Amino acid sequence: MSKSIHTATIIGTVQDVSGTSVSVTLNADQFSGLTFVSGQGYRIGQIGSFVKIPVGYLDLYGIVSQVGASAVPEALSATMPTGYKWITVQLIGEGYRTGKFQRGISQYPTIEDEVHLVSEDDLAAIYGKAGKQNHFVRIGHIAGSESIDALVDINKLVTRHSAVVGTTGSGKSTTVAGLLNVLSDSTRFPSARIVVLDLHGEYSRALGDRANIFKINPDSRNANEHPLHIPFWAMSFDELIKVTFGTLPADGKARNMILERVIELKAETLKTYQRPGVTDDNISADSPIPFSLNKLWHSLYCTEFGTYYSAQGNASDPKTWAYELDPAKKPMMGDAQIGRPPRFKKVKNIKSDDEKINYIPDGYNIRGAVENLGSKIRVSRFDFLLNAGDWHPDLDGKVEKDLPDLMKLWLGSDKPITILDLSGVPASMMNDIIGIVLRVLYDALFWARNLSEGGRERPLLIVMEEAHTYLNDNFDGAASSVVQRIVKEGRKYGIGAMIVSQRPSEINSTILSQCGTFFALRLSNGTDRSHVTGTLSDNLEGLTNMLPILRTGEAIVLGEAVGLPMRTMIQAPPKDRRPDSQDPIVCDDVLPEDSMAPGGWNIPLPKDIKYDEFVLAWRQQSPVIPKASKENE
């Protein structure tokens, strides 16, 4: 019986070997292109299908990349103009009779070696079975073989980095949600740790039952939604300058002066509120020590805009400063804590007037930068950064909560997923904020790598949605450089990245090339496909040529987390737990009275539509309508 099965799987013989490319002639009796093995029908010569070539004690596995006349070796094309019985196979790995499979090949086939189709039993042996290997997780099933689970190695998936790519509408966000549902299964992975950078607020509904959500405008009715706070004093000095002051004079004098003042303010905080590990000897402008940015701003405002009575003494003495007076005749000295600037009298230098008022000397020509910072302190859109709740220091540097509290919220909560909803972050600083968040996470896990809370004992997976918008070479932002460091070095410290994008061609090539596993959904653009193909170590061009014709939710999974590349139907979450990224319904495919859709052009409009809430959501820069507003209607 085994002999008959062995004979039934033969489809041809090797005729030419060139590197990993093998040219095969099909047997003359294969007229229909269909053969049966153990009652199961198999199509022969399907693009993207697998074949095996027995060589001694192992089997070489390959993928069919060409079929027909184009598959004839170039040297033989002139003598075989009608060579339709040829196929080209790209070798990708080898399997042992014990069932073990490994990528790469240790030997090559020779002329007249038999070529066999790969049966479902072979695929089941290669891909494994759920439950037999603890480090494999099921993400769906093999396309065309629902009985075979699509399994991925979670170790390779997390620490060797991955990418989920696909054009708009290919099921990319749903695929990510499906993957995260599997990876955050509390019964299998009670200590899972995942951070999602959600730029459009898509994943709150899909993952809300297993995630803590941090957003600028949280809905108080949802217990798992919390305010997003990123304390400015946790940034490096360069990051701080970029998001607060902006561009400074090129001569560097202003930058050096601000650096010295930041160090002074952090040292003052340290004298009153000591922090283990930081002393006067090792403190720097990059040390994550709280200090009052408001106090720094107020001081700089006075030196840049201030005037003083020259006859009353030296300008360095605040007693000589020429403040305007309010109606109560009190000097308008401003309020650093709320960002209210002082008001100074205008310069007066008239001979007949004994009261001489001059500008405070030795300014640094940074009026624009100081005003820029002052406006950000006063505008509520920047409160998540410059007025970060319990992490906001008072004028002497005191904070109610410190970095351990923030890290526990982001990395050590009782839920496996932390969603950082960045949809409310101003677009002008989105790139920098993402870079700051990633750098803080990387630094924390790097220095804590030997602790139980560090990444070596409890690895972290960072999911980066819409990655092409901030990992693009055209942007001069912090995000790309930090992610390059993560994908190059993060593996050693337990930090993995999952890059999600609809335009892989726009992502920095270094970042994409470091992704060990790809979930490639439908990709119509040729440039995007070539970037994916170019980053893969295997010769899989024939397989990636299938990307334009994949169905929605179908992906080709290839790379280190899988033994053989597999065409997979990803298991999607239930419809009520999918990301908020579905296409709006213009016209439902059922009649209005049977439709479950919330709207559409075929649904009659209610009378007397009011746009009060419409404008309210716009003005408050949040789609969440306060409960009180709804009750007043």
Side-chain angles (χ1 to χ4, degrees), residues 5-287:
I5 293 177
H6 176 82
T7 304
T9 60
I10 298 176
I11 61 173
T13 55
V14 174
Q15 298 299 322
D16 185 81
V17 180
S18 178
T20 59
S21 182
V22 179
S23 296
V24 177
T25 54
L26 298 178
N27 290 344
D29 59 352
Q30 302 290 351
F31 294 111
S32 65
L34 181 68
T35 189
F36 289 87
V37 179
S38 300
Q40 179 77 34
Y42 295 93
R43 296 279 294 173
I44 297 173
Q46 292 286 298
I47 296 291
S49 63
F50 295 107
V51 297
K52 66 178 179 180
I53 305 173
V55 179
Y57 294 102
L58 54 81
D59 297 324
L60 302 180
Y61 286 87
I63 295 177
V64 177
S65 60
Q66 285 181 304
V67 177
S70 62
V72 179
E74 186 176 352
L76 300 177
S77 59
T79 59
M80 295 184 175
T82 58
Y84 299 118
K85 289 288 186 176
W86 289 76
I87 63 174
T88 301
V89 174
Q90 303 295 338
L91 299 176
I92 58 171
E94 57 189 26
Y96 298 88
R97 304 294 157 79
T98 58
K100 181 182 178 182
F101 176 85
Q102 66 180 20
R103 294 155 58 85
I105 56 175
S106 59
Q107 54 185 298
Y108 289 87
T110 58
I111 304 303
E112 297 298 332
D113 278 349
E114 294 176 347
V115 179
H116 296 249
L117 61 80
V118 174
S119 66
E120 282 204 7
D121 291 339
D122 293 323
L123 290 176
I126 294 171
Y127 290 134
K129 292 185 179 180
K132 287 198 171 183
Q133 295 169 300
N134 190 51
H135 61 291
F136 278 80
V137 293
R138 182 184 186 276
I139 61 170
H141 63 81
I142 303 301
S145 300
E146 294 189 15
S147 61
I148 302 179
D149 293 332
L151 304 177
V152 298
D153 184 339
I154 189 173
N155 292 321
K156 301 289 180 62
L157 178 65
V158 174
T159 60
R160 299 292 178 88
H161 317 301
S162 61
V164 181
V165 297
T167 191
T168 301
S170 62
K172 189 170 65 277
S173 296
T174 303
T175 295
V176 173
L179 292 173
L180 295 184
N181 268 310
V182 173
L183 298 178
S184 61
D185 182 357
S186 59
T187 57
R188 288 198 63 188
F189 309 115
S191 298
R193 185 156 62 171
I194 302 169
V195 172
V196 180
L197 302 185
D198 187 1
L199 271 63
H200 302 305
E202 296 177 356
Y203 290 94
S204 298
R205 185 178 72 170
L207 304 169
D209 63 323
R210 57 187 67 193
N212 280 317
I213 303 159
F214 296 88
K215 57 197 304 186
I216 289 181
N217 294 300
D219 188 343
S220 59
R221 293 167 291 184
N222 297 329
N224 65 335
E225 291 192 11
H226 313 279
L228 175 66
H229 292 137
I230 305 172
F232 65 85
W233 46 266
M235 303 181 196
S236 69
F237 179 73
D238 289 334
E239 292 167 348
L240 179 68
I241 291 295
K242 191 165 187 179
V243 301
T244 54
F245 291 97
T247 304
L248 294 174
D251 61 11
K253 292 181 180 180
R255 182 186 183 280
N256 293 337
M257 176 271 296
I258 295 174
L259 184 143
E260 290 177 1
R261 293 201 185 183
V262 168
I263 294 175
E264 289 174 4
L265 289 170
K266 290 187 175 185
E268 289 177 9
T269 300
L270 206 59
K271 290 178 181 178
T272 309
Y273 310 102
Q274 295 183 359
R275 298 293 194 285
V278 184
T279 66
D280 290 338
D281 297 328
N282 62 13
I283 193 171
S284 72
D286 293 333
S287 302

Side-chain angles (χ1 to χ4, degrees), residues 203-406:
Y203 290 94
S204 298
R205 185 178 72 170
L207 304 169
D209 63 323
R210 57 187 67 193
N212 280 317
I213 303 159
F214 296 88
K215 57 197 304 186
I216 289 181
N217 294 300
D219 188 343
S220 59
R221 293 167 291 184
N222 297 329
N224 65 335
E225 291 192 11
H226 313 279
L228 175 66
H229 292 137
I230 305 172
F232 65 85
W233 46 266
M235 303 181 196
S236 69
F237 179 73
D238 289 334
E239 292 167 348
L240 179 68
I241 291 295
K242 191 165 187 179
V243 301
T244 54
F245 291 97
T247 304
L248 294 174
D251 61 11
K253 292 181 180 180
R255 182 186 183 280
N256 293 337
M257 176 271 296
I258 295 174
L259 184 143
E260 290 177 1
R261 293 201 185 183
V262 168
I263 294 175
E264 289 174 4
L265 289 170
K266 290 187 175 185
E268 289 177 9
T269 300
L270 206 59
K271 290 178 181 178
T272 309
Y273 310 102
Q274 295 183 359
R275 298 293 194 285
V278 184
T279 66
D280 290 338
D281 297 328
N282 62 13
I283 193 171
S284 72
D286 293 333
S287 302
I289 300 297
F291 74 98
S292 176
L293 185 65
N294 297 52
K295 185 176 181 179
L296 173 63
W297 161 79
H298 189 272
S299 171
L300 294 175
Y301 190 97
C302 290
T303 56
E304 291 297 315
F305 293 89
T307 58
Y308 75 109
Y309 298 107
S310 54
Q312 293 185 11
N314 195 301
S316 60
D317 184 359
K319 294 179 180 180
T320 67
W321 291 357
Y323 293 108
E324 291 279 8
L325 302 179
D326 64 13
K329 303 300 183 183
K330 293 182 178 179
M332 301 175 69
M333 302 172 65
D335 189 333
Q337 194 64 14
I338 64 174
R340 181 190 299 149
R343 291 289 179 261
F344 292 95
K345 293 183 177 181
K346 294 181 180 179
V347 171
K348 185 169 60 173
N349 202 357
I350 304 172
K351 287 185 179 181
S352 59
D353 194 336
D354 293 336
E355 186 181 67
K356 300 291 191 292
I357 301 176
N358 293 308
Y359 282 118
I360 296 175
D362 301 326
Y364 287 87
N365 193 28
I366 54 172
R367 285 191 169 194
V370 172
E371 286 188 319
N372 182 34
L373 173 57
S375 64
K376 289 177 179 177
I377 290 174
R378 293 186 291 273
V379 174
S380 61
R381 287 188 71 196
F382 301 94
D383 281 356
F384 75 97
L385 185 70
L386 304 181
N387 189 13
D390 291 337
W391 288 269
H392 182 63
D394 58 20
L395 295 180
D396 68 347
K398 180 183 179 182
V399 291
E400 295 298 322
K401 292 183 178 179
D402 206 343
L403 286 180
D405 304 288
L406 185 67

